[in-house]
Amino acid sequence: MTDFPRRILVTGGAGFIGSAVVRRLIGRGYRVVNVDKLTYSGNLDNLREVAGAPSYRFVEADICDQAAITALLAEENIEAVMHLAAESHVDRSIDAPADFIETNVIGTFRLLQASLNHWRSLQQNQGRFRFHHVSTDEVFGDLPFDGSSFSEDSAYAPSSPYSASKAASDHLVRAWCATYGLPVVLSNCSNNYGPYHFPEKLIPLTILNAIEGKPLPVYGQGTNVRDWLHVGDHAEALELILTRGKTGESYNVGGRAERSNLQVVETICDFLDERGPLAEGGSRRSLINFVPDRPGHDRRYAIDPSKIERDLGWRAAHDFEQGLLETIDWFLANEWWWRPIRERKYRGERLGSAA
């Protein structure tokens, strides 16, 4: 695809992955309109470095507001939609599943309708329009410890309210392509990590608790395995899928970096110990606290990214340990970003116990 879109609407662009995408696109010369509802994890500080760029516009809006999205698509003459807006934390989906159905299912439906009507109305550049739906490997469910991995043809078997809501949104996107001809591409990624990561997830929560000498909660025995992908590598992959991916196709994006949760936590402890010991001495590994597992906790995820590597020439650039060390150093150097979150939005309390 050589005649690719240049005017892009990004939903959820104030979130962790969305802001990485926005920063990348702005740096590469695209016109970006960022639509975000600014719920608890949406943070305009994630975009401080591009906030003044002439090619960037932020609009506070809800993707469930179809009229607002429709008007914005027309006003900005949008040529592509990158849909990243979602409720995304499994633990919160256990406590409040309705929020996930509303945003991830109903919101995706409203956005598809607005995009379909906009695409049909285009007088020029209709052929370059794309709707890129960004999803998760969790829609595929649980993998055994047998070396297998998820491909684009893996059956859907979601285990949590979060993954079920994302699976539903994936199916809606495919249906709008098959039924109405909307030109779509899809992607399913493995677990992301990196700068600006809201500290409810494993890696940022562990980093900040370890910095502050607080207990490091690990579900069960820490044997659950995830494939880790640096958010910068993911943003690069998403740009490639949008501009060069084949209409109607899906692409799995993974880092080829499987680690158990306990391995991840122990590595963070060791790296921070190298940066400076605890005030009272000793290893941060002593802070590890095994807690009751969460309901429906999938044992293992693993992505086979062979298709995107082969067809689009993408490969994750970050070695996991080096990327993790860089992430730790970012958190150490950017207390201005995470301290207000810890004090005002999320202090690290347990979520998703289904008690």
Side-chain angles (χ1 to χ4, degrees), residues 136-264:
T136 172
D137 60 359
E138 297 193 35
V139 299
F140 302 124
D142 189 28
L143 279 176
F145 297 105
D146 63 356
S148 59
S149 57
F150 298 131
S151 74
E152 288 78 7
D153 297 322
S154 293
Y156 277 41
S159 303
S160 69
Y162 162 62
S163 56
S165 70
K166 290 298 291 184
S169 68
D170 288 10
H171 292 319
L172 287 173
V173 172
R174 289 191 174 94
W176 259 242
C177 180
T179 301
Y180 304 111
L182 184 68
V184 308
V185 284
L186 299 91
S187 57
N188 297 79
C189 70
S190 57
N191 283 43
N192 280 223
Y193 72 98
Y196 301 104
H197 201 173
F198 191 85
E200 63 187 358
K201 302 293 180 72
L202 176 66
I203 286 179
L205 177 63
T206 300
I207 291 172
L208 296 185
N209 279 11
I211 288 172
E212 297 178 336
K214 295 179 178 179
L216 309 178
V218 175
Y219 290 163
Q221 297 302 307
T223 56
N224 303 76
V225 170
R226 300 293 181 260
D227 171 27
W228 292 97
L229 172 67
H230 192 279
V231 70
D233 291 333
H234 189 198
E236 178 187 16
L238 295 181
E239 182 195 354
L240 280 171
I241 293 166
L242 177 74
T243 59
R244 293 175 49 198
K246 184 178 178 181
T247 300
E249 294 287 320
S250 64
Y251 297 86
N252 282 358
V253 188
R256 296 188 182 272
E258 287 186 58
R259 302 291 188 279
S260 73
N261 289 348
L262 183 57
Q263 284 178 301
V264 171

Side-chain angles (χ1 to χ4, degrees), residues 324-337:
L324 184 59
L325 183 58
E326 292 173 2
T327 301
I328 290 169
D329 286 340
W330 185 89
F331 276 92
L332 287 170
N334 289 279
E335 186 172 347
W336 69 270
W337 180 84

Side-chain angles (χ1 to χ4, degrees), residues 152 244 251 305-315:
E152 288 78 7
R244 293 175 49 198
Y251 297 86
S306 297
K307 179 177 178 179
I308 189 173
E309 291 173 348
R310 178 187 67 248
D311 293 358
L312 303 184
W314 175 89
R315 184 176 292 271

